[in-house]
Amino acid sequence: MCGIVGILSHQPVAKRLVEGLKRLEYRGYDSAGIAVINDNQLKRCRAQGKIVNLDDCLAHDHIDGTIGIAHTRWATHGLPTEENAHPHMTETVAIVHNGIIENHTALRDELSAKGIHCTSQTDSEVIAQWLTVFEKESDSYVEAIFKTLAKLEGAYALGIMFRDDPTHLYGTRKGSPLAIGQGSNGEMFLGSDALALAGLAENLTYLEEGDLAVLTKDHIEIFDKNQKQTQRPSQHYAGGFEQVSKGPYRHFMLKEIYEQPDVVRQTLNAYLSEDKKSIVFPELSFDPKTVSKITIVACGTSYYAGLVAKHWLEKVARISVEVDIASEFRYRQPPLSKDGVSLFISQSGETADTMAAHAYAKAEGQQTIGIINVPNSSLARAVNVPLMTYAGPEIGVASTKAFSTQLCVLAALSIYLAHQKGMITDADLEAYCQDLSTLPNLIEKTLSLSDSCKDVAEELAKTRDILYLGRGTSYAIALEGALKLKEISYIHAEGYAAGEMKHGPIALIDETVPIIVIAPHDELFEKLVSNIEEAAARKGQVVFISDEVGQKGYHSQAMARVTVPETSLFTAPFIYTIPVQMLAYYTAVHKGTDVDQPRNLAKSVTVE
Ligand code: G6P
């Protein structure tokens, strides 16, 4: 959610701290700030709103130094004001914090009893105050930090600086990720994710739960949660600035929509054999022949990818599938069989609820698979079998290309398991693989519908409520389409199973309500058309998305028709996703909203 950058250097750091924050802005964008040590003093600059607002304050206050920490905030406790923005400081300590301190009220009361009063409404400021208390009572800064950590309940990634110790930068984590970056010429960095350090760090070291890193310009010392010195592996980091630029596109979201042919190709290449006739997976930690049930858990768009996969796994592999929202699953604590299989889908690999759901499944003795986009993320390191997607960094808050690549892995997994279980023959497997390998070109073709989507979007932008309908896998795409639209255009939208329309939503329909119909020409097509005719008869404004054959099969009035290329039943979800993404995108553009950073949302939800 929030983003952290820290730099310890021999050169001034303020400019690079702000650049790092700009790369992290997609994580949270309601306020930002930096603090440095300069002339034996802590200096700070904070601003409400976007990071660009920091530029003014920095130009005005001439704040700079060779050690500094910076933060972009997504408010959890306290309004998004300058006063609540990080870094939080006392006279001698500055901190930036990602996560939530659950016992902050008790810690604040304890401080009050000592006559120490917080100036912000955040849960984070107590950390700076307690560090200040313990700094005075400890023999070393490390001791002061561990004493403070012992008081904290909740989740944190922290960057810490002490005014009187300007040659050390401290970083620690529990429940929120933090990476250490080593530069080529005597510089050290802290980052809440690798992107913050793109173009800065040459090597990355990911901290484990409870670790405390003590950084000098050329040395990393790590203590584990038991305060014992330890080593963590370091790896080369090739991320450059170009990874996070918009290129010629107006928004990251549009760029990411257009990247889909490439990233789908890359992801399929990782799982299809070279001759495109079979599936190649890393060794699984369970016997694929005996899997009879899979529990899929995820949040947001990743959850909808899971809903599509339920159809594939049940129909093709005849494996029964339960799909659950992580925040529900983790507290419902469903009974799970020992050695059964759970599958977790997450673009970021850091979503707090998904992580907690995974921990529960692991504790129940399940074998866990992860479908994850960010290498080395917490989930990628925690699951038994990480199956990576190759979407590259996704910056737009509304997920697009990550979803398509999740579908690639889920489709590959479904046919792999189907084949292993003897549900499909070698020839069937080959046919499915061939079908998947046509997707990059088909998606490319579908992208050429952008003009017709733009026209429809102009009309959608004038409305207040929109209904998305589909059946089978298209019901999941309807849900995803509605989510995309409401996330970035702020128009109320609902996805519904078309067959359920008569049980409620039909009451909403009149001539002001567009109904986006996801209508592949499959075995449910006729039934879907009957549902839509009922809506059209009540003056619903139908936007009919189908292929040419499907368009001919729908005879009633339509406000618009979007004709996609012909697909197989199996690959339809990939293709029908593209117009719903474009409809959402262009509707938001017509409305003039902040497409890449919609209000109140964050890319990576690292708190409950
Ligand atoms: C947030 C993002 C969504 C994303 C969801 C799950 O809500 O805005 O785009 O689908 O989190 O994130 P994950 O990283 O676990 O896929």
Side-chain angles (χ1 to χ4, degrees), residues 299-302 345-349 351 397 399 406 487 602-603 605:
C299 301
T301 289
S302 300
I345 310 170
S346 176
Q347 186 284 126
S348 61
T351 303
V397 163
S399 183
Q406 287 166 349
E487 274 180 309
K603 181 76 188 155
V605 181

Side-chain angles (χ1 to χ4, degrees), residues 168-215:
H168 290 100
L169 184 59
Y170 299 85
T172 178
R173 67 154 287 196
K174 191 181 135 214
S176 287
L178 193 66
I180 310 297
Q182 190 157 17
S184 53
N185 47 355
E187 290 186 307
M188 283 295 174
F189 305 93
L190 279 179
S192 49
D193 70 26
L195 272 189
L197 308 182
L200 298 173
E202 290 220 318
N203 290 296
L204 287 186
T205 305
Y206 288 91
L207 294 184
E208 298 286 330
E209 282 290 276
D211 280 357
L212 166 63
V214 182
L215 309 180

Side-chain angles (χ1 to χ4, degrees), residues 419-452:
H419 186 245
Q420 291 284 318
K421 287 175 70 75
M423 295 298 163
I424 58 173
T425 63
D426 291 356
D428 294 333
L429 179 66
E430 186 178 333
Y432 276 117
C433 291
Q434 292 289 331
D435 196 9
L436 285 176
S437 63
T438 64
L439 274 172
N441 288 341
L442 265 188
I443 294 174
E444 189 91 57
K445 259 196 190 166
T446 314
L447 288 169
S448 67
L449 294 173
S450 65
D451 282 343
S452 49

